[in-house]
Amino acid sequence: GKPRLARQSMFYCGLFGSVLMAAVGVALYLFRYDVSRIFLPSDDVLMLAAQCLVIAALSQIPIGFCMILMGGLRGAGDTVSPMIVALVGVILVRLPLAYYFVIVLEKGLIYVWWASVIDWMVRAFIVVLIARFGRWHRIKV
């Protein structure tokens, strides 16, 4: 019954979650070789995995913000919007970008990870718009 307070809470929680995920991103960046070395003995693969972890570190903030806002929307009774955002992210952003980078431009694994980062940034942007202007506050739970 208090949509303004709910919206405010979602955004504060999203901000807090993003700060925590930024800390995870910093840890991934700082310990990228150590984490990679646990799983990969080869030096060539180690370098590639470390590069992927740097890119993954960049995606932590939009992942955290997006997940929290989508959870807030679901908790408010809007389960359709988060589902659509997830589908848009995977089907209309990540897969086409990965295809373009790998098949058309003939780039490697690093660019697949960049497609993922871009996907999460687009999702975060869309879910912010939905949380700000969407119909979720009119849904009766």
Side-chain angles (χ1 to χ4, degrees), residues 70-87:
M70 287 171 64
L73 291 171
R74 285 190 295 271
D78 184 2
T79 57
V80 174
S81 294
M83 180 189 68
I84 291 171
V85 169
L87 287 173

Side-chain angles (χ1 to χ4, degrees), residues 104-139:
V104 176
L105 297 181
E106 298 180 359
K107 300 294 182 180
L109 178 65
I110 299 297
Y111 285 82
V112 174
W113 281 80
W114 277 114
S116 178
V117 171
I118 294 167
D119 166 29
W120 281 110
M121 293 172 124
V122 168
R123 286 191 211 192
F125 177 75
I126 293 170
V127 82
V128 163
L129 292 177
I130 292 170
R132 180 97 171 115
F133 303 109
R135 62 180 183 80
W136 63 269
H137 54 69
R138 292 187 297 270
I139 297 173

Side-chain angles (χ1 to χ4, degrees), residues 16-35:
F16 181 71
S18 294
V19 169
L20 290 177
M21 293 298 279
V24 170
V26 169
L28 281 174
Y29 177 77
L30 292 176
F31 301 108
R32 63 190 178 271
Y33 297 110
D34 301 314
V35 171

